[in-house]
Amino acid sequence: MSSRPLSRIRKTITFRLILWYSAFFVVSTSFLFLLAYFLLSSSVRTKDRQETHEKLDEYAAQYRAGGIEALKHEVALEERSAKDEAFFVQLTGSDGSELFLSNPDRWKDFDLKKIASTAGEPITLRNYRGTQTVDIESLVLSDGAVLRVGQSAEQREALLETFREVFVAFMIPAVVLGIAGGAFLASRTLRPVRGLIQTIRSVSTGQIEARVPTSHTGDELDELVLLFNSMPEKIETLITGMRHSLDSVAHDLRTPLTRLRGTAEMALQSEQNPESAREALADCVEEADRILTMLNTLMDISEAETGAMKLQLTEVSVSELLADTVNLYAHVAEEKKLTLNLDSAEDLFLTGDLNRLRQVMANLLDNAIKYTPSGGRVELAAFARNHDAVIVVKDTGIGIAPEDKPKIWNRLYRADHSYSQKGLGLGLSLVKAVVQAHQGRIDVASKPGGGSEFTLSFPSS
Ligand code: ADP
């Protein structure tokens, strides 16, 4: 195998997770074992020392009561019953000469001269080959003699040896278990990441409908997957919206452009009359302006609908917004002999783009004035309802037929009765798109001849 795939595997998170997990598993298991080993060995050692001490006191009592003979008798009894596990017992005189040694054959491998000078303190004596040890406690008796009692560490060492063997035997499956656990954990944890990689590959090859499967666990990776899945949806909406806009712009521009062309052609074909040529040019300019306005409004609607519209959000005072709009239209309303009323709560605010909201209000008030005959009334009101800022534009105008009501929000839709008025049929489409871009909603209540009432509600700030 070449070193390239190997180094790629080494760089993967899966590999590193497995490594970390198994290392952590092995280290923590070893630590637990070492702790248990240390506790076991120190408790066995303490127990041995205690036993030796008790024996020492027992033999000293025998010696005090019956002299060396009593001691020998007691040791002989003990050796008979305990055999190889019997204690080391040595009695030396005050001059250091050995008075008694239990089972001398058993201790011939030990250099007893090493303990000759020690009295009263515990020592550990090793045999010549270093294979056996005996822990010795000693006591200086009242006549100057020194009594030494010791216990072989053989049994203790055997126990600890077994423990060490078990540890080594356990470590092999522990390492295998660590690696297997790491692999399982890494594979489970990284499943959404693998899904993400696969889906990004599909999306980048044009399969925009590809989605990452969600686990619904509610964890961070699940959140990432949900966020990622919402992205192609948004892109899809944007692309569809743009395609739609492009189609409708192409379709809607055909009529005014044909008209423009027709006017220009007629002017060219007509006799050389400067006056009519000037008129035709003026018509062309007017038509071009209409086309420009139409284009700009269509672009605005598309941007607002697809979420691409950049809103300069500020805290907007609703009463000031309405007052500005009323001021703007006061003159037109007066000329048409309409009563224009404003009733707005003062402390009402909403978060929005002031210029876009002015555009919304201007469109609604313009329509209300346009579709209300002379002598009528137009009212603007604003108030708070629950957590919303509500704006109402009401008129006593011609109203909207029930069959037209759902269509008035469509681009370029104009009800039959509207053709006597100027307009592009785009105002309400823009109003609705901008209101929705502000997380608001707009409804209309109207009946033919009975006036119309447009109600907007925005989350108030
Ligand atoms: P327009 O440029 O025709 O006013 P809009 O999109 O603003 O376009 O409105 C679409 C249609 O909705 C209008 O043509 C009209 O028929 C109807 N409409 C809008 N506002 C009112 C109103 N206040 N009263 C009666 N009809 C209205």
Side-chain angles (χ1 to χ4, degrees), residues 367-368 370-371 395 398-400 408 413-415 417-418 423-428 452 454:
N367 278 351
K370 213 158 59 174
Y371 299 114
D395 63 58
I398 58 172
I400 303 163
I408 55 171
Y413 183 81
R414 307 198 72 204
H417 59 247
S418 317
L424 295 170
L426 287 173
L428 285 183
S452 310
F454 287 85

Side-chain angles (χ1 to χ4, degrees), residues 13 17 182-194 219 221:
I13 299 181
L17 267 181
F184 175 72
L185 204 81
S187 125
R188 267 192 77 98
T189 315
L190 296 176
R191 197 181 300 154
V193 177
R194 282 196 301 276
D219 57 19
L221 283 175

